[in-house]
Amino acid sequence: MNAIYRTLLIGLSGCFLSCSDFLDLMPKNELGADEFYQTAEQFESALSGAYSILQEGEIFGDFYIFAEIPSDNTRNVLSGSVTDQDEFDKFYIRTTNPIPAGFWNVSYRGINRVNTILGRIDGIEMDHELKARYKLEAKFLRALLYFNLVRVFGDVPLVLTEITIDEAYQYQREPLEKVYAQIIADLQDAESLPASYARDPDIGRATSGAAKSLLGKVYLTLQNYAEAESKLAEVVGSGMYALLENTPGTLNIDGYASAFHADNHNSKEAVFEIQFKKGGYGEGNKWPNSFAPENSGSNVVPVGGTWGNNLPEVEMYESYEEGDLRRDFSIGLGYYDARKDGEWVPSIHVRKYFDTPYQNEDSNNNFPVIRYADVLLMYAEALNQNGKTALACDYLNPVRRRGFGYQTTESCPQDIRTSDKNEFFLVVEHERRVELAFECHRWFDLIRTGRAVEVMTSKGFKLNPTNLVCPVPQKQIDVNPALTQNEYIITPK
């Protein structure tokens, strides 16, 4: 089994919780922490444990709550008295909301895992190249975790070493600039990772291309367009990645669909994916069940429950241009109910992540953190911001062609040709919305371009600039009064 799929062998659960559970350095095999970190195999297990954090519901498992529901893409389901997700959709997030609290806790648990690896691995004898690689993978994971933390909370504590309970109370929130400087430093180091892996157990781990792509996204977020262009150009020019092609001869969406096929893991288009595997291992993806229409039984997803989460907005469906085949692949409008003699039941839902689960919430779908289509669109955006609009069209159009059913190398009626920088800015914003729909990009795209409040208020949402970051979980402030709270003003409805 792929090493990243393995059930967690070690539990380094350093996270900002309370005095009693802030750190738990006892591995699951009951070896003490000082006894465990002695061999290359133990560090491989520890690194796999760090990767496994990314699967957690509090991290990428439910990341759509942070990245899609606050945007104009989707809304939450209201079931009974549950309002935790509704607070994200309508911008009234409580300091006691358990969703940001879980995200904070598990993110720092992952950070402590990689910090423990980085702090202890030099103390053992093992293959030099393998040791160096493990350290770089750990830095990539730390950068990814911190990148998501700062995008959600803004200033956050910057923890770079394995720490004790008493030391935890010395940490305050660090300015965004300092955290981003560390993210950039970690990713610059991680650029030295291998370009690919030949052994099956290693496929799916971080690569140099993943580090460069994430670094390009960080530069784009910081509006450092020159560095973004340069770094993303390295990825585009590497020849390591390609868009998966539609079947030639007819208009179809085969290439786009294959990028999300539940059994097509780590394809040529995948730059970095969270690894999931169904089969009762506890490593499956829950999204097919989670996003299927509520109470739809086995009509949409054959096995398990159906929860109706992450509902597409009708405006999202209508935002696709005529002839864009990605719309009907990504969004379903309802289903035929076999329980009611095939009656059509209107129920808009995300259908991009389809699989037949092994059991409830146990599907085979990897989650695409970065696809090559994302890289091409980021590169096009950076080129445009740097005044190279005509050239930017050449990198946007292959993505667009595939979406309308063509081959990426053939011209199509929907090709974009413009030298107008402002026009292209809106074109690439739209293209990112429809190409990367429900992949946890939209809200952060709107924030980094400074368009979140403008776009959302134009569509009737009530928000203000303080709502672009989440409140710091109150429990963190209760146990560490040195932490400060974000200003989060609720707009009267």
Side-chain angles (χ1 to χ4, degrees):
M1 183 184 296
N2 186 305
I4 305 176
Y5 291 139
R6 293 176 188 157
T7 302
L8 181 58
L9 300 178
I10 178 171
L12 302 174
S13 56
C15 54
F16 293 88
L17 292 171
S18 67
C19 292
S20 62
D21 56 9
F22 173 75
L23 281 178
D24 173 12
L25 294 177
M26 184 65 70
K28 297 300 183 187
N29 61 3
E30 297 184 354
L31 284 174
D34 290 333
E35 297 172 297
F36 183 84
Y37 297 96
Q38 301 298 323
T39 68
E41 290 75 16
Q42 288 170 341
F43 274 96
E44 180 186 14
S45 294
L47 187 59
S48 294
Y51 275 102
S52 77
I53 280 285
L54 303 181
Q55 291 182 347
E56 297 284 338
E58 293 85 355
I59 305 297
F60 280 102
D62 286 331
F63 201 51
Y64 68 89
I65 300 172
F66 295 97
E68 295 286 349
I69 285 180
S71 79
D72 50 349
N73 277 8
T74 67
R75 56 187 170 86
N76 63 293
V77 62
L78 278 177
S79 180
S81 61
V82 176
T83 62
D84 296 335
Q85 293 187 31
D86 188 61
E87 294 177 18
F88 286 81
D89 187 51
K90 297 184 177 66
F91 303 103
Y92 64 104
I93 302 174
R94 297 165 294 148
T95 61
T96 55
N97 188 305
I99 296 171
F103 177 70
W104 178 291
N105 293 341
V106 180
S107 294
Y108 277 106
R109 185 187 306 164
I111 288 166
N112 197 67
R113 286 183 183 179
V114 298
N115 286 343
T116 302
I117 293 167
L118 290 167
R120 295 178 181 236
I121 196 169
D122 283 334
I124 71 159
E125 293 292 329
M126 62 179 289
D127 178 80
H128 176 75
E129 289 187 6
L130 191 60
K131 178 187 289 189
R133 197 193 92 194
Y134 284 177
K135 290 165 68 174
L136 296 179
E137 287 183 70
K139 288 186 176 184
F140 174 87
L141 294 174
R142 183 168 67 184
L144 178 59
L145 289 166
Y146 268 121
F147 183 49
N148 285 341
L149 276 168
V150 295
R151 292 193 296 170
V152 170
F153 294 109
D155 300 347
V156 293
L158 183 59
V159 185
L160 300 176
T161 59
E162 179 185 353
I163 59 176
T164 66
I165 295 171
D166 289 338
E167 290 169 334
Y169 296 117
Q170 302 171 19
Y171 281 86
Q172 302 181 26
R173 298 172 72 192
E174 296 289 351
L176 216 59
E177 296 78 13
K178 185 173 181 179
V179 183
Y180 269 116
Q182 183 61 49
I183 293 169
I184 290 169
D186 279 347
L187 291 175
Q188 287 175 335
D189 287 346
E191 289 183 71
S192 298
L193 281 164
S196 62
Y197 298 100
R199 297 191 319 125
D200 179 68
D202 294 327
I203 294 172
R205 293 181 179 272
T207 62
S208 60
K212 291 177 180 181
S213 298
L214 184 56
L215 184 53
K217 187 180 289 285
V218 169
Y219 284 139
L220 209 59
T221 300
L222 297 174
Q223 299 184 356
N224 187 340
Y225 299 118
E227 292 289 353
E229 177 188 334
S230 175
K231 192 54 56 183
L232 294 167
E234 292 181 38
V235 182
V236 173
S238 70
M240 294 298 299
Y241 308 102
L243 297 177
L244 300 181
E245 288 285 1
N246 294 330
T247 302
T250 61
L251 296 181
N252 63 82
I253 201 70
D254 294 348
Y256 187 72
S258 65
F260 302 95
H261 194 285
D263 297 325
N264 192 22
H265 291 180
N266 308 304
S267 70
K268 191 75 171 176
E269 187 164 339
V271 178
F272 186 70
E273 296 184 340
I274 308 302
Q275 307 294 305
F276 288 93
K277 187 175 182 64
K278 70 180 180 182
Y281 308 110
E283 305 288 344
N285 190 325
K286 68 179 182 179
W287 280 13
N289 292 108
S290 184
F291 297 165
E294 192 172 17
N295 300 320
S296 58
S298 60
N299 290 287
V300 177
V301 177
V303 176
T306 55
W307 317 124
N309 283 308
N310 203 28
L311 299 170
E313 297 279 8
V314 173
E315 186 274 334
M316 173 62 184
Y317 182 85
E318 294 172 346
S319 72
Y320 287 83
E321 298 164 72
E322 186 69 28
D324 191 336
L325 302 182
R326 292 169 293 192
R327 183 192 66 185
D328 293 338
F329 174 80
S330 301
I331 302 174
L333 293 180
Y335 58 93
Y336 292 99
D337 195 339
R339 299 165 298 184
K340 300 178 181 179
D341 297 323
E343 176 185 332
W344 174 254
V345 179
S347 185
I348 193 167
H349 61 281
V350 173
R351 65 186 302 268
K352 197 171 195 174
Y353 305 97
F354 176 79
D355 188 29
T356 299
Y358 176 80
Q359 58 192 17
N360 186 43
E361 297 186 344
D362 187 17
S363 291
N364 218 40
N365 311 73
N366 277 3
F367 172 69
V369 177
I370 304 176
R371 286 194 291 121
Y372 189 54
D374 183 15
V375 172
L376 289 173
L377 294 176
M378 287 193 293
Y379 185 45
E381 182 177 337
L383 287 168
N384 181 60
Q385 293 290 351
N386 291 328
K388 304 172 185 177
T389 304
L391 180 60
C393 295
D394 293 338
Y395 294 93
L396 178 140
N397 280 330
V399 177
R400 189 167 167 81
R401 290 165 185 163
R402 184 177 67 170
F404 283 87
Y406 294 84
Q407 296 283 287
T408 62
T409 55
E410 62 178 327
S411 297
C412 79
Q414 289 81 15
D415 278 355
I416 300 297
R417 294 297 175 196
T418 181
S419 57
D420 186 317
K421 181 179 178 181
N422 293 330
E423 178 186 3
F424 189 87
F425 176 87
L426 296 178
V427 167
V428 75
E429 179 183 273
H430 167 78
E431 197 64 29
R432 287 186 62 80
R433 186 185 188 192
V434 295
E435 170 69 24
L436 306 173
F438 320 123
E439 296 176 48
C440 298
H441 296 282
R442 176 64 171 174
W443 178 237
F444 297 120
D445 279 352
L446 290 174
I447 291 174
R448 68 174 173 75
T449 60
R451 297 249 301 150
V453 174
E454 176 189 351
V455 169
M456 296 298 292
T457 55
S458 73
K459 298 177 181 181
F461 292 87
K462 304 292 185 182
L463 75 161
N464 62 75
T466 70
N467 304 144
L468 304 185
V469 291
C470 286
V472 173
Q474 186 61 44
K475 190 172 184 179
Q476 306 310 318
I477 294 175
D478 291 343
V479 299
N480 182 3
L483 294 177
T484 57
Q485 183 57 273
N486 283 327
E487 181 182 34
Y488 189 92
I489 299 171
I490 299 173
T491 302
K493 307 304 180 194

